[in-house]
Amino acid sequence: DLKEHSGAVYCLAWSHNGTLLASGSLDKKVVVRKAIVGTEIEGNSSLLSGHEQLVSDVKWMCDSETVISSSFDHSVKVWDHVSRKDVVTYRLDGFAICIENHSTNPSLFFSGTSKAGIYMFDTRISPESPAAFKVMYCEGKGKINTVHSLTDSDLDNFIYTGDSKGMIRLWDIRYLKKMDGYDVLNEDAGRPITHIASSPKLAVGKTGWLLAVNSYDNVLRIYDSNKQTSWLTKNSQLEQHPINSGLELSAAVKGHRNKNWPIKSSFYSGTLVDSFDGTR
């Protein structure tokens, strides 16, 4: 029971050490509490106030002390939950919809916006410096609802995005460019994508991973990246990849009966994926 919130809870995130839970709400607040039932932080949960609109997403940095939040007030805040103060506030062009940590570099994180922008922040650089963040745009292509950083250390220069027009796109963060030939329309009606998650690496001797994509049609689609991974691994130094090496749809998992509210997220459990035959 997240009683500290006075509005609907929109997002949750566990700290990396598994002891703290951060929640963001329509009441414009972030709350941090201990994960053990019945205990609180210093007698009270940490209440982080400062956003002027709803909190759209929360994430933890790897130290399990720093919380990142995004909001429809066009800002991303970095918080020290112990002192209950925002350490840094970044201003964005458009609603800040989502946050994603870089999979291998703890100093980098991303935020997607309502104006088709993907912001890449570097916490090693002073927030006053113009180099503190870089922006990638996909002009006129819809709101960026989700950003996913690939966990494969050989491919950590690439991120996926899912947008409000149902497109999955691949980006190279070294060149701040969308990869030509990799766009995938998730379903024919082009309904918004809400979340993207990837599996661990496939079994030894196989390449790629499985990608889980949620959308407003309440279907969880599973894509096989084998073809895409093979091309990227062999040509990772190229700035642009001229051939179409898209994801291949393996399965569409149905069963949710939501009304006016999409599947918000999914995740893979376990450390190794041997196969996926489209029946699970």
Side-chain angles (χ1 to χ4, degrees):
D1 183 12
L2 301 176
K3 59 185 178 182
E4 297 86 352
H5 287 297
S6 59
V9 174
Y10 195 72
C11 48
L12 294 168
W14 291 103
S15 61
H16 291 271
N17 61 15
T19 64
L20 299 169
L21 179 67
S23 56
S25 169
L26 302 190
D27 66 6
K28 311 174 190 176
K29 296 179 178 65
V30 175
V31 171
V32 176
R33 55 163 47 207
K34 286 188 178 180
I36 302 172
V37 176
T39 66
E40 296 179 332
I41 301 172
E42 299 178 352
N44 293 287
S45 300
S46 292
L47 182 63
L48 310 179
S49 300
H51 283 299
E52 298 174 1
Q53 293 292 335
L54 67 89
V55 177
S56 56
D57 204 0
V58 290
K59 290 289 189 297
W60 288 88
M61 300 195 76
C62 62
D63 61 6
S64 293
E65 295 181 358
T66 309
V67 181
I68 312 168
S69 62
S70 59
S71 170
F72 277 21
D73 64 6
H74 297 208
S75 77
V76 168
K77 289 182 178 290
V78 179
W79 306 84
D80 177 348
H81 84 81
V82 178
S83 67
R84 307 184 186 187
K85 295 181 179 179
D86 58 303
V87 180
V88 178
T89 297
Y90 298 99
R91 295 295 174 184
L92 286 63
D93 181 23
F95 299 151
I97 296 175
C98 60
I99 302 171
E100 171 74 340
N101 298 105
H102 190 277
S103 60
T104 61
N105 188 334
S107 300
L108 300 180
F109 69 92
F110 308 91
S111 181
T113 75
S114 60
K115 293 190 176 181
I118 305 102
Y119 284 67
M120 180 171 66
F121 301 94
D122 190 334
T123 58
R124 296 167 296 187
I125 301 174
S126 167
E128 305 300 324
S129 169
F133 61 84
K134 299 175 181 178
V135 189
M136 298 166 275
Y137 279 105
C138 196
E139 296 292 346
K141 300 298 183 182
K143 299 185 291 289
I144 305 298
N145 289 336
T146 182
V147 180
H148 180 68
S149 176
L150 295 176
T151 56
D152 189 330
S153 59
D154 295 328
L155 296 171
D156 58 6
N157 289 313
F158 300 97
I159 59 172
Y160 284 109
T161 60
D163 64 34
S164 60
K165 295 188 177 181
M167 296 299 298
I168 306 167
R169 305 183 195 276
L170 185 69
W171 301 76
D172 189 328
I173 63 175
R174 296 168 298 180
Y175 306 106
L176 305 178
K177 290 184 178 181
K178 183 178 72 70
M179 303 297 295
D180 293 333
Y182 286 91
D183 293 0
V184 174
L185 180 62
N186 187 51
E187 50 93 26
D188 291 341
R191 281 168 283 206
I193 292 171
T194 56
H195 191 261
I196 296 176
S198 61
S199 71
K201 275 188 173 182
L202 298 180
V204 176
K206 299 180 181 181
T207 60
W209 56 86
L210 300 175
L211 205 67
V213 179
N214 301 110
S215 84
Y216 267 72
D217 64 352
N218 290 324
V219 177
L220 173 62
R221 290 176 175 81
I222 310 298
Y223 292 90
D224 189 337
S225 73
N226 178 65
K227 181 180 178 182
Q228 194 169 85
T229 306
S230 298
W231 176 259
L232 289 175
T233 302
K234 293 176 183 177
N235 301 276
S236 61
Q237 298 304 313
L238 294 180
E239 182 171 341
Q240 288 294 324
H241 304 268
I243 68 170
N244 188 329
S245 298
L247 300 167
E248 295 180 347
L249 184 64
S250 293
V253 182
K254 303 178 181 179
H256 287 279
R257 294 291 184 268
N258 298 352
K259 283 189 176 182
N260 302 320
W261 196 258
I263 306 171
K264 185 69 168 69
S265 64
S266 61
F267 64 92
Y268 281 93
S269 178
T271 58
L272 186 67
V273 176
D274 292 316
S275 64
F276 188 89
D277 60 12
T279 62
R280 290 175 286 166

